[in-house]
Amino acid sequence: MLYVYAITADHGPEDMEPLPEGILPDTPVWRIASGGLAAVASPVPDHTFGAEALPAHLEDVQWTRARVLGHERVVCALLPRATVLPLKFCTLFSGEEALRAALSAHKKTLEQTVDHLRGAREWGVKLFVEARGPDPRAPEPVGAGAGAAFFRRKKEEQQARAAAEAALDRCVVASHQRLAAHARAAVANPLQPPQLHGQRGKMALNGAYLVDLQAEPAWRACLSELERTYADEGVRYALSGPWGAYNFAGGGLVRA
Protein backbone atom coordinates (compact mmCIF):
# COMPACT_ATOMS: atom_id res chain seq x y z
CA MET A 1 0.00 0.00 0.00
CA LEU A 2 1.20 3.53 -0.81
CA TYR A 3 0.53 6.72 1.11
CA VAL A 4 0.74 9.71 -1.28
CA TYR A 5 1.66 13.19 -0.01
CA ALA A 6 1.71 15.29 -3.15
CA ILE A 7 2.05 15.55 -6.90
CA THR A 8 5.09 17.51 -8.04
CA ALA A 9 6.51 19.01 -11.24
CA ASP A 10 9.41 21.21 -12.36
CA HIS A 11 11.98 19.17 -10.47
CA GLY A 12 15.48 20.58 -9.99
CA PRO A 13 18.75 18.90 -9.02
CA GLU A 14 17.96 19.44 -5.34
CA ASP A 15 14.92 17.16 -5.74
CA MET A 16 17.31 14.21 -5.58
CA GLU A 17 18.39 15.16 -2.05
CA PRO A 18 16.94 12.92 0.69
CA LEU A 19 13.52 13.86 2.02
CA PRO A 20 12.61 13.57 5.72
CA GLU A 21 11.09 10.37 7.02
CA GLY A 22 7.54 9.73 5.95
CA ILE A 23 4.18 9.31 7.60
CA LEU A 24 5.52 6.61 9.97
CA PRO A 25 8.90 6.52 11.75
CA ASP A 26 11.73 5.25 9.54
CA THR A 27 9.42 5.17 6.52
CA PRO A 28 11.20 6.12 3.26
CA VAL A 29 9.76 8.65 0.84
CA TRP A 30 9.78 7.78 -2.87
CA ARG A 31 9.28 9.88 -5.97
CA ILE A 32 7.34 7.92 -8.62
CA ALA A 33 7.70 9.69 -11.97
CA SER A 34 4.96 9.76 -14.60
CA GLY A 35 5.77 11.97 -17.56
CA GLY A 36 6.50 15.48 -16.34
CA LEU A 37 4.77 14.80 -13.03
CA ALA A 38 5.70 12.70 -10.03
CA ALA A 39 3.86 11.30 -7.05
CA VAL A 40 5.66 11.56 -3.73
CA ALA A 41 4.72 8.49 -1.68
CA SER A 42 5.70 6.11 1.10
CA PRO A 43 5.03 2.40 1.52
CA VAL A 44 2.73 1.80 4.48
CA PRO A 45 1.41 -1.45 6.00
CA ASP A 46 -2.13 -2.63 5.33
CA HIS A 47 -2.59 -3.50 9.01
CA THR A 48 -2.25 0.23 9.84
CA PHE A 49 -3.65 2.06 6.81
CA GLY A 50 -5.99 -0.55 5.37
CA ALA A 51 -9.72 0.20 5.15
CA GLU A 52 -10.53 -1.95 8.18
CA ALA A 53 -7.69 -0.73 10.42
CA LEU A 54 -7.43 3.00 9.64
CA PRO A 55 -10.70 4.26 11.23
CA ALA A 56 -9.69 2.92 14.64
CA HIS A 57 -6.25 4.55 14.40
CA LEU A 58 -7.79 7.89 13.44
CA GLU A 59 -9.82 7.85 16.65
CA ASP A 60 -6.50 8.07 18.53
CA VAL A 61 -5.89 11.83 18.70
CA GLN A 62 -2.17 11.56 19.45
CA TRP A 63 -1.57 9.03 16.67
CA THR A 64 -3.49 11.16 14.17
CA ARG A 65 -1.69 14.35 15.19
CA ALA A 66 1.69 12.68 14.67
CA ARG A 67 0.63 11.42 11.24
CA VAL A 68 -0.71 14.85 10.19
CA LEU A 69 2.59 16.43 11.24
CA GLY A 70 4.48 13.78 9.29
CA HIS A 71 2.39 14.47 6.19
CA GLU A 72 2.97 18.22 6.48
CA ARG A 73 6.69 17.73 7.15
CA VAL A 74 7.12 16.00 3.79
CA VAL A 75 5.00 18.56 1.90
CA CYS A 76 6.95 21.48 3.41
CA ALA A 77 10.25 19.82 2.49
CA LEU A 78 9.07 19.63 -1.14
CA LEU A 79 8.13 23.32 -1.47
CA PRO A 80 11.66 24.65 -2.23
CA ARG A 81 12.35 21.78 -4.64
CA ALA A 82 9.45 21.72 -7.10
CA THR A 83 5.96 22.91 -7.92
CA VAL A 84 3.83 21.07 -5.36
CA LEU A 85 0.20 19.99 -5.58
CA PRO A 86 -0.40 18.78 -2.00
CA LEU A 87 -2.87 15.97 -1.47
CA LYS A 88 -5.34 15.43 1.32
CA PHE A 89 -4.29 13.62 4.46
CA CYS A 90 -4.61 9.84 4.02
CA THR A 91 -4.59 9.68 0.22
CA LEU A 92 -3.93 5.96 -0.25
CA PHE A 93 -3.44 3.53 -3.14
CA SER A 94 -3.19 -0.24 -3.14
CA GLY A 95 0.18 -0.11 -4.91
CA GLU A 96 2.30 1.51 -7.60
CA GLU A 97 0.19 0.13 -10.45
CA ALA A 98 -2.99 1.73 -9.09
CA LEU A 99 -1.16 5.00 -8.44
CA ARG A 100 0.26 5.15 -11.98
CA ALA A 101 -3.20 4.42 -13.39
CA ALA A 102 -4.63 7.36 -11.44
CA LEU A 103 -1.82 9.65 -12.60
CA SER A 104 -2.51 8.68 -16.19
CA ALA A 105 -6.30 9.02 -15.89
CA HIS A 106 -6.09 12.48 -14.30
CA LYS A 107 -3.02 13.70 -16.21
CA LYS A 108 -4.70 16.68 -17.90
CA THR A 109 -6.41 17.94 -14.74
CA LEU A 110 -3.25 17.52 -12.68
CA GLU A 111 -1.18 19.41 -15.25
CA GLN A 112 -3.71 22.25 -15.30
CA THR A 113 -3.62 22.48 -11.52
CA VAL A 114 0.17 22.47 -11.49
CA ASP A 115 0.12 25.30 -14.04
CA HIS A 116 -2.17 27.25 -11.71
CA LEU A 117 0.19 26.73 -8.74
CA ARG A 118 3.49 27.24 -10.53
CA GLY A 119 5.52 30.19 -9.24
CA ALA A 120 3.21 30.91 -6.29
CA ARG A 121 2.88 30.02 -2.61
CA GLU A 122 -0.06 29.87 -0.22
CA TRP A 123 -0.17 32.18 2.79
CA GLY A 124 -2.77 32.29 5.53
CA VAL A 125 -4.12 35.37 7.29
CA LYS A 126 -6.45 35.12 10.27
CA LEU A 127 -8.08 38.23 11.70
CA PHE A 128 -9.01 38.35 15.38
CA VAL A 129 -10.93 41.00 17.30
CA GLU A 130 -10.91 41.57 21.03
CA ALA A 131 -14.39 41.85 22.54
CA ARG A 132 -15.09 45.22 24.12
CA GLY A 133 -17.88 45.36 26.68
CA PRO A 134 -19.43 48.36 28.39
CA ASP A 135 -17.25 50.52 30.61
CA PRO A 136 -17.30 48.78 34.03
CA ARG A 137 -16.48 52.10 35.71
CA ALA A 138 -19.75 53.71 34.62
CA PRO A 139 -21.95 54.14 37.73
CA GLU A 140 -25.36 52.55 37.88
CA PRO A 141 -28.16 55.15 37.70
CA VAL A 142 -29.93 55.79 40.98
CA GLY A 143 -32.72 58.04 42.23
CA ALA A 144 -35.47 59.67 40.19
CA GLY A 145 -35.27 58.78 36.54
CA ALA A 146 -32.99 55.81 37.22
CA GLY A 147 -35.24 53.45 35.27
CA ALA A 148 -35.26 55.64 32.17
CA ALA A 149 -31.51 56.13 32.45
CA PHE A 150 -30.99 52.37 32.73
CA PHE A 151 -32.94 51.66 29.55
CA ARG A 152 -31.25 54.55 27.77
CA ARG A 153 -27.85 53.10 28.64
CA LYS A 154 -28.90 49.65 27.44
CA LYS A 155 -30.03 51.16 24.14
CA GLU A 156 -26.75 53.05 23.77
CA GLU A 157 -24.79 49.87 24.49
CA GLN A 158 -26.83 47.99 21.88
CA GLN A 159 -26.21 50.76 19.35
CA ALA A 160 -22.50 50.72 20.17
CA ARG A 161 -22.34 46.94 19.65
CA ALA A 162 -24.16 47.26 16.33
CA ALA A 163 -21.78 50.01 15.20
CA ALA A 164 -18.76 47.93 16.26
CA GLU A 165 -20.07 44.88 14.37
CA ALA A 166 -20.67 46.98 11.25
CA ALA A 167 -17.15 48.44 11.52
CA LEU A 168 -15.70 44.94 11.91
CA ASP A 169 -17.62 43.72 8.86
CA ARG A 170 -16.17 46.60 6.82
CA CYS A 171 -12.69 45.80 8.12
CA VAL A 172 -13.01 42.11 7.21
CA VAL A 173 -14.31 42.83 3.71
CA ALA A 174 -11.66 45.48 3.05
CA SER A 175 -8.86 43.29 4.41
CA HIS A 176 -9.80 40.28 2.29
CA GLN A 177 -10.35 42.35 -0.85
CA ARG A 178 -7.07 44.23 -0.52
CA LEU A 179 -5.03 41.10 0.18
CA ALA A 180 -6.79 39.25 -2.65
CA ALA A 181 -5.96 42.10 -5.06
CA HIS A 182 -2.26 41.25 -4.63
CA ALA A 183 -2.81 37.48 -4.96
CA ARG A 184 -3.35 35.09 -7.85
CA ALA A 185 -6.30 33.54 -6.01
CA ALA A 186 -7.93 33.89 -2.61
CA VAL A 187 -10.51 32.15 -0.46
CA ALA A 188 -12.23 32.97 2.83
CA ASN A 189 -12.48 29.71 4.76
CA PRO A 190 -15.01 28.97 7.52
CA LEU A 191 -14.21 30.65 10.83
CA GLN A 192 -12.70 28.47 13.56
CA PRO A 193 -13.99 28.27 17.15
CA PRO A 194 -11.66 29.34 20.00
CA GLN A 195 -10.92 25.75 21.03
CA LEU A 196 -9.47 25.14 17.59
CA HIS A 197 -7.58 28.36 16.83
CA GLY A 198 -6.35 28.84 20.42
CA GLN A 199 -5.95 32.61 20.06
CA ARG A 200 -7.22 35.55 22.07
CA GLY A 201 -10.41 37.10 20.80
CA LYS A 202 -12.93 36.07 18.18
CA MET A 203 -11.86 35.03 14.68
CA ALA A 204 -13.43 37.25 12.03
CA LEU A 205 -11.46 36.19 8.91
CA ASN A 206 -9.77 32.93 7.95
CA GLY A 207 -8.24 33.79 4.61
CA ALA A 208 -5.91 31.88 2.29
CA TYR A 209 -4.02 33.58 -0.54
CA LEU A 210 -2.09 32.13 -3.47
CA VAL A 211 0.62 34.73 -4.01
CA ASP A 212 3.12 34.96 -6.86
CA LEU A 213 6.70 34.85 -5.61
CA GLN A 214 7.38 38.21 -7.30
CA ALA A 215 4.27 39.73 -5.70
CA GLU A 216 5.05 38.65 -2.13
CA PRO A 217 6.79 41.93 -1.13
CA ALA A 218 3.75 43.97 -2.26
CA TRP A 219 1.37 41.51 -0.60
CA ARG A 220 3.29 41.65 2.69
CA ALA A 221 3.37 45.45 2.48
CA CYS A 222 -0.42 45.44 2.04
CA LEU A 223 -0.78 43.33 5.19
CA SER A 224 1.46 45.71 7.14
CA GLU A 225 -0.63 48.67 5.96
CA LEU A 226 -3.81 46.92 7.13
CA GLU A 227 -2.23 46.32 10.53
CA ARG A 228 -1.45 50.02 10.86
CA THR A 229 -4.89 51.08 9.61
CA TYR A 230 -6.83 48.98 12.10
CA ALA A 231 -4.38 48.99 15.01
CA ASP A 232 -6.65 51.14 17.19
CA GLU A 233 -9.80 49.09 16.54
CA GLY A 234 -8.92 45.99 18.53
CA VAL A 235 -8.08 44.05 15.38
CA ARG A 236 -5.12 41.67 15.15
CA TYR A 237 -3.80 39.84 12.08
CA ALA A 238 -2.04 36.46 12.31
CA LEU A 239 0.11 35.52 9.30
CA SER A 240 1.11 31.91 8.62
CA GLY A 241 2.94 30.13 5.82
CA PRO A 242 4.11 29.54 3.27
CA TRP A 243 2.09 26.34 3.04
CA GLY A 244 1.39 23.73 0.46
CA ALA A 245 -1.44 25.20 -1.60
CA TYR A 246 -4.18 22.95 -0.21
CA ASN A 247 -6.86 25.60 -0.73
CA PHE A 248 -6.06 25.86 -4.44
CA ALA A 249 -5.18 22.26 -5.34
CA GLY A 250 -8.58 21.30 -6.75
CA GLY A 251 -9.82 17.75 -6.37
CA GLY A 252 -6.35 16.28 -5.98
CA LEU A 253 -5.88 12.65 -6.93
CA VAL A 254 -8.42 9.82 -6.69
CA ARG A 255 -8.43 6.21 -7.75
CA ALA A 256 -8.77 5.69 -11.46
Side-chain angles (χ1 to χ4, degrees):
M1 175 169 277
L2 290 175
Y3 182 103
V4 189
Y5 307 90
I7 305 300
T8 60
D10 310 316
H11 308 96
E14 65 277 12
D15 194 47
M16 300 307 294
E17 297 175 4
L19 285 163
E21 70 177 10
I23 194 74
L24 294 172
D26 301 319
T27 301
V29 179
W30 300 339
R31 186 166 71 88
I32 300 171
S34 177
L37 303 176
V40 178
S42 288
V44 292
D46 289 3
H47 62 74
T48 302
F49 284 90
E52 294 183 2
L54 184 59
H57 285 294
L58 293 177
E59 291 178 1
D60 183 335
V61 175
Q62 294 301 320
W63 185 92
T64 301
R65 182 177 184 274
R67 305 292 79 77
V68 169
L69 291 175
H71 177 104
E72 192 60 29
R73 181 174 59 245
V74 173
V75 171
C76 287
L78 292 168
L79 293 178
R81 307 175 183 223
T83 299
V84 180
L85 192 169
L87 299 180
K88 294 178 181 179
F89 177 60
C90 282
T91 298
L92 296 156
F93 287 84
S94 59
E96 187 171 334
E97 182 178 349
L99 175 56
R100 288 187 180 279
L103 289 171
S104 176
H106 300 284
K107 182 175 183 292
K108 183 176 180 179
T109 299
L110 293 172
E111 289 176 341
Q112 289 173 341
T113 305
V114 164
D115 286 342
H116 180 56
L117 302 180
R118 183 174 285 116
R121 303 193 293 185
E122 178 176 321
W123 294 86
V125 174
K126 294 178 173 63
L127 187 155
F128 298 93
V129 61
E130 300 285 347
R132 293 182 177 179
D135 187 352
R137 297 169 298 178
E140 289 294 330
V142 294
F150 173 82
F151 286 109
R152 183 169 61 252
R153 176 188 291 182
K154 290 299 181 183
K155 182 177 180 180
E156 290 171 351
E157 291 174 357
Q158 185 179 34
Q159 291 172 337
R161 285 194 297 270
E165 289 175 2
L168 177 60
D169 288 342
R170 291 193 295 271
C171 169
V172 169
V173 171
S175 297
H176 186 58
Q177 288 180 343
R178 289 170 64 179
L179 290 169
H182 292 279
R184 186 181 297 181
V187 61
N189 287 314
L191 303 180
Q192 298 172 338
Q195 60 267 30
L196 186 57
H197 63 65
Q199 299 283 329
R200 300 189 322 274
K202 180 183 74 172
M203 181 183 289
L205 173 66
N206 184 14
Y209 306 88
L210 185 66
V211 184
D212 288 345
L213 294 174
Q214 302 92 322
E216 283 185 359
W219 186 84
R220 295 288 292 267
C222 176
L223 178 59
S224 296
E225 183 180 350
L226 288 168
E227 290 174 328
R228 291 191 296 270
T229 299
Y230 295 105
D232 296 331
E233 298 189 23
V235 168
R236 179 169 52 86
Y237 297 86
L239 172 67
S240 64
W243 304 108
Y246 291 98
N247 284 283
F248 309 99
L253 185 65
V254 296
R255 294 180 184 274

